[in-house]
Amino acid sequence: MKRISILGSTGSIGTQTLDIVRNNPDLFKVIAISGNTNIELLRKQIEEFKPKYVAVYDKKNAQKLKEIVKNDEVEILAGLEGLNAIAIIDEVDVVVTSVVGNIGLLPTFNAIKAKKTIALANKETLVTAGEIIMNEASKNGVSIIPVDSEHSAIFQCLNGNDILNVEKIILTASGGPFRGLKRNDLLSVTSKDALKHPNWNMGKKITIDSATLMNKGLEVIEAKWLFNLEIDQIDVIIHPQSIIHSMVEFIDGSILAQLGIPDMKLPIQYALTYPLRIKSNMSKLDFNQIASLTFEKPDTNTFPCLKLAYEALKIGGSMPTVLNASNEELVYLFLNGKIGFYDIPDKIEKAMKRHNPIKNPSIEDILLVDKETREYINNSF
């Protein structure tokens, strides 16, 4: 039995992780969970899964949870300190990092230092501190198992293969709700329009990132660190059906791909059970129902966020932190109706141009650049 801690149990990845636990009670035991604003859902999760520890990032909400949960066997923690605490609990084997945003960086880093296996769904951790995180994982003999469907696909295709025999990897993207449209078509779109993803059921932030193609840009940076690749070894292709989750091309020209229905439970389950595979009750891919699989080149003129991500990765150092922090803040402003769709890439580019990158940033440098970038963005409107 694997004992797990879930950072972000009330979000999309967190709730689906708990579905897998619910269906496999003999394989997994939930030791700790965390949330932020959805206190009622946290209460229900405590009742069902009976974790020993619960962390609530918002301290006022932590107090509210204490008032409604009358259970002396549950310890309720608050703030970033709470997240860090449930990431390093002795009895935990696997830490699922599914909180959204750069808030996941320190808890993930601390979990690695505590020698926990990481099921990584928080891509911002590797975007902002990839080299530091992967070096720390190597030093501590820690496995980082990707949960993102694309990186899980690459991870599975690489099993039994030498990374030195890889020519390149190909990350697939659905194209989001605005695939095929041009800039003039998108000048007045709203967050409601952008949240209508054609294939995936995800949280709001990642769904907006999919609409701008920033999600794929962040995945490019994440893939560089996860798989120790050069920037020119990472390609992106639009694949509207979301059946092929990503591919690996080897030096002999062979290409391996991982296919499946667009359901995040599959990569989550694989990350939790790795190196084993277990049966699931998920729907299976039926090739008789697939009319065609199609592919397109990304339109980076209409969706410049992907191009900005490649640029940030090429510059390196602290620049990906600027990319990520500015994008996070701008996405939330867009979700709240305060800015337009193209304010996101336009202001990210301005934030990057004004930043003097730090070549080999420390964790402290990254956190400071993150803070300063967010302040710049929020003071710009």
Side-chain angles (χ1 to χ4, degrees):
M1 178 173 284
K2 289 186 179 180
R3 299 162 300 179
I4 65 176
S5 177
I6 306 172
L7 308 183
S9 66
T10 59
S12 176
I13 297 296
T15 54
Q16 291 179 86
T17 300
L18 288 173
D19 281 341
I20 292 165
V21 172
R22 185 180 292 115
N23 293 329
N24 299 278
D26 55 328
L27 296 181
F28 307 110
K29 168 64 178 170
V30 177
I31 303 299
I33 59 176
S34 85
N36 185 26
T37 60
N38 198 337
I39 299 305
E40 178 56 23
L41 181 54
L42 266 180
R43 183 192 65 77
K44 292 178 180 178
Q45 291 175 348
I46 292 168
E47 277 187 9
E48 180 178 1
F49 296 97
K50 298 176 172 54
K52 292 184 179 180
Y53 307 92
V54 179
V56 184
Y57 186 70
D58 184 282
K59 294 184 178 180
K60 289 183 179 178
N61 284 330
Q63 185 57 41
K64 288 180 184 177
L65 188 63
K66 287 180 182 178
E67 292 169 1
I68 63 175
V69 174
K70 306 300 182 184
N71 187 341
D72 294 337
E73 295 179 2
V74 178
E75 184 176 351
I76 298 174
L77 308 164
L80 183 58
E81 300 88 351
L83 283 179
N84 284 322
I86 69 167
I88 61 172
I89 298 166
D90 286 343
E91 60 192 292
V92 165
D93 305 305
V94 180
V95 176
V96 180
T97 61
S98 58
V99 291
V100 176
N102 206 41
I103 185 97
L105 173 56
L106 279 178
T108 305
F109 183 65
N110 289 326
I112 291 170
K113 290 199 292 184
K115 295 181 167 50
K116 308 298 181 186
T117 296
I118 306 296
L120 185 68
N122 172 263
K123 58 176 59 69
E124 293 86 358
T125 292
L126 289 186
V127 169
T128 61
E131 187 169 14
I132 294 171
I133 292 294
M134 296 310 292
N135 286 343
E136 194 67 26
S138 177
K139 185 171 76 174
N140 287 283
V142 165
S143 296
I144 297 180
I145 316 298
V147 169
D148 270 350
S149 61
E150 295 82 2
H151 299 102
S152 176
I154 299 299
F155 186 77
Q156 293 179 61
C157 290
L158 287 174
N159 275 348
N161 291 293
D162 191 331
I163 192 69
L164 295 177
N165 291 329
V166 172
E167 182 74 21
K168 65 180 179 180
I169 66 171
I170 304 162
L171 300 173
T172 57
S174 69
F178 302 141
R179 181 179 67 86
L181 300 180
K182 297 299 180 183
R183 192 177 182 107
N184 284 342
D185 302 317
L186 300 174
L187 293 176
S188 60
V189 295
T190 66
S191 60
K192 185 178 179 180
D193 301 319
L195 288 171
K196 296 175 183 175
H197 198 283
N199 299 337
W200 294 95
N201 180 20
M202 307 177 292
K204 289 184 178 181
K205 194 267 181 182
I206 193 172
T207 305
I208 300 299
D209 282 346
S210 178
T212 65
L213 285 194
M214 178 57 87
N215 189 47
K216 210 53 49 179
L218 298 177
E219 288 175 6
V220 166
I221 301 173
E222 187 180 7
K224 184 262 185 296
W225 298 113
L226 268 175
F227 306 115
N228 193 26
L229 298 168
E230 299 299 324
I231 190 170
D232 59 0
Q233 289 181 288
I234 309 170
D235 283 354
V236 171
I237 192 84
I238 303 298
H239 169 50
Q241 295 80 23
S242 296
I243 297 297
I244 297 176
H245 296 302
S246 278
M247 299 172 271
V248 177
E249 180 180 328
F250 294 91
I251 55 177
D252 62 357
S254 295
I255 296 178
L256 295 186
Q258 187 264 329
L259 287 70
I261 64 167
D263 187 338
M264 280 304 301
K265 288 180 188 175
L266 197 155
I268 295 169
Q269 178 173 292
Y270 185 72
L272 291 178
T273 62
Y274 180 81
L276 304 176
R277 289 187 188 270
I278 63 171
K279 288 184 71 66
S280 76
N281 59 2
M282 290 172 249
S283 299
K284 303 297 191 293
L285 189 62
D286 183 355
F287 283 96
N288 293 313
Q289 301 298 318
I290 301 173
S292 64
L293 300 177
T294 60
F295 307 92
E296 307 162 8
K297 186 177 180 179
D299 179 1
T300 54
N301 290 321
T302 304
F303 304 100
C305 283
L306 178 58
K307 184 165 53 178
L308 290 170
Y310 270 103
E311 183 182 334
L313 179 57
K314 186 175 182 180
I315 295 169
S318 57
M319 192 59 82
T321 300
V322 173
L323 175 91
N324 180 72
S326 55
N327 178 66
E328 275 188 38
E329 294 302 315
L330 289 160
V331 166
Y332 293 132
L333 288 168
F334 178 63
L335 281 168
N336 290 322
K338 295 182 178 179
I339 64 172
F341 186 74
Y342 278 107
D343 286 321
I344 298 174
D346 293 349
K347 189 59 74 170
I348 290 171
E349 185 173 16
K350 288 178 181 177
M352 288 173 62
K353 284 181 176 178
R354 71 185 288 275
H355 179 64
N356 186 19
I358 303 167
K359 190 173 183 181
N360 294 297
S362 64
I363 288 283
E364 292 74 22
D365 291 329
I366 290 167
L367 293 174
L368 181 59
V369 170
D370 180 270
K371 180 174 180 288
E372 290 175 345
T373 302
R374 291 173 194 275
E375 289 174 352
Y376 164 71
I377 293 298
N378 285 302
N379 289 334
S380 298
F381 295 98

